[in-house]
Amino acid sequence: SGFAAPPFSPSHSHVRIGRANMQWSECEAAPWAARSRAGIVALPGGEILVLGGLIGPRHDVWRSTDRGASWDRLHEGAPWAARWGHCVTVLSSGKVLLLGGMGSSGKKLNDVWCSQDQGVSWQKLSEAAPFPERTGCCLAALPGGPVLLFGGHGASNEPLNDVWRSIDGGSTWEQVLEAAPWPERAWAGCTTLVGTGGESTSATVLVLGGVAAGEVLLDDVWRSEDGGASWDPIAEGGPWAARRSPCLVDVPASAAGGGEGGAAEVLLLLGGLAATGPLADIWRSGDGGASWERVADDAPWGPRLDHGAVALADGTVLVMGGQRSTSGGHLNDVWSGIFGEPPPLPPPRPPAPPVTERPSVAASSASSSSAAPGVGASSAQPPPPPRPPPPRSGPAQSADVAGALPPMGGGPQAPAVIPKAAAPKATFMSSSVPRYEDMGASDIRRSILDLQRGLADITRRLDSVGMENHLLREENIVLKDAIDDKIEGSR
């Protein structure tokens, strides 16, 4: 996991978001273990928390105060049980709320925990809240303190569409709707659009996509403007592919090229799992989710699902973690996207001056002696032309020195690069290794993504080995204690 992919050229790592460019850059691999279905949130001060998730499950807590560039582990084992697929949100006061998920025993949870010091300490608010156990749910904080919980997979893995609300920071809950008008779903995208209003009733809660009963993927968008009591469809079918586990974030319109109709926030939909597989697309909405514009088909962070994304107050968007496929490939990479024009490309390097062979001392003296008396150095005969260098030793140069580039992700094989025949050139690498200087930008990007996928798979295997070693150590401790007890009892 210490591998850092070669940086992308500025011209190859930005996408157009409405009237603004968005540049993506990869931070160094995070120190936290590769994972998906974690709780990932941004705090009002710009701090980012990563809580639990798969593989494990885990109950560690990590915090970054520099936009994902570095991380501090606050807990190796938080007081709440290890879990994945839980819900996490941040209240307007900065209080972090965590609930539900799947525990290590395979049982879904409905406990509620909170932290008021950026994840350092945790307080249990409820061992068993009145709402049913669930995973893959939505948790939306409204201005002023209310919190909405809706959807997810229930105890028997059935999709839900109930709506619950807490007005005291998660201590107590009341059911707002037994069944919302939108289809039951889990692993949907949700967010709260606050706009310029200051009251909780002015906030808009959105839910979109997800997976319904029968593993049916959804592409609808629903809105509530009264704290979850009523919902209206604003897009029966979005132009983007139906998907589950997308990330939905809202960024200030001033940073994202402006919203339509004076909207204060712009929505970004990032990745997820469609019927064709994991996605790396980006969609933008400047009117609260009613209409969408595709701005990228293949973002530099690559296809993924069950990942996390947060938006900071300055418009920075961070994408991190998740997995490459439904069968694994867990990730711990962190990508940062900022709005602005891409920096100009550096000027091309000037060509190197030609190297000429200096005449020998003997030739210089000979030419001087042959010059007419009284004739200066300017009238001396020019030195003889340099002799061509001897041929280099080594294997013969084949016609396809670069070789055929390997297929990237199952695509067509790129044509071989044929060098010029004029100047023989030594072969410094095997023809089976791709020559990146001869590859186009898209081929280099695909090659880097293939390397990342392979490394993510290695990370997943290392995680699995680490977990097995941990279990063996625990069994060894239990066995040692049993032997000690047996010896103590026989005395």
Side-chain angles (χ1 to χ4, degrees), residues 146-366:
V147 185
L148 292 183
L149 168 68
F150 47 95
H153 274 142
S156 301
N157 217 36
E158 75 282 7
L160 304 170
N161 65 344
D162 54 347
V163 180
W164 295 76
R165 178 171 56 203
S166 173
I167 59 174
D168 55 7
S171 296
T172 62
W173 297 82
E174 63 172 346
Q175 189 175 54
V176 179
L177 291 175
E178 183 177 355
W182 38 264
E184 301 94 335
R185 70 191 65 202
W187 308 110
C190 71
T191 192
T192 303
L193 296 177
V194 179
T196 57
E199 300 297 327
S200 61
T201 54
S202 68
T204 299
V205 179
L206 292 180
V207 59
L208 57 77
V211 58
E215 298 299 314
V216 174
L217 298 175
L218 302 170
D219 61 353
D220 52 351
V221 184
W222 291 74
R223 172 180 62 198
S224 174
E225 296 179 321
D226 56 5
S230 64
W231 296 81
D232 298 311
I234 57 176
E236 293 288 353
W240 35 266
R243 67 191 67 197
R244 73 163 176 86
S245 306
C247 285
L248 180 65
V249 298
D250 54 281
V251 298
S254 57
E260 283 72 20
E265 293 159 299
V266 168
L267 292 169
L268 296 181
L269 180 68
L270 308 110
L273 179 67
T276 55
L279 303 168
D281 55 351
I282 303 176
W283 292 77
R284 174 192 184 274
S285 175
D287 56 5
S291 62
W292 295 85
E293 171 192 8
R294 180 172 54 199
V295 295
D297 279 324
D298 187 16
W301 33 264
R304 65 186 66 202
L305 65 147
D306 295 329
H307 48 302
V310 296
L312 306 183
D314 63 356
T316 301
V317 178
L318 295 170
V319 174
M320 64 194 78
Q323 55 192 78
R324 287 294 183 204
S325 71
T326 55
S327 59
H330 291 78
L331 303 167
N332 68 336
D333 55 346
V334 180
W335 290 80
S336 173
I338 60 174
F339 291 92
E341 291 299 321
L345 291 174
R349 298 175 63 180
V355 178
T356 58
E357 187 176 301
R358 299 181 62 183
S360 64
V361 176
S364 299
S365 58

Side-chain angles (χ1 to χ4, degrees), residues 20-36:
N21 281 295
M22 193 171 196
Q23 305 168 55
W24 290 95
S25 59
E26 185 179 15
C27 306
E28 291 188 9
W32 37 267
R35 68 191 65 199
S36 64

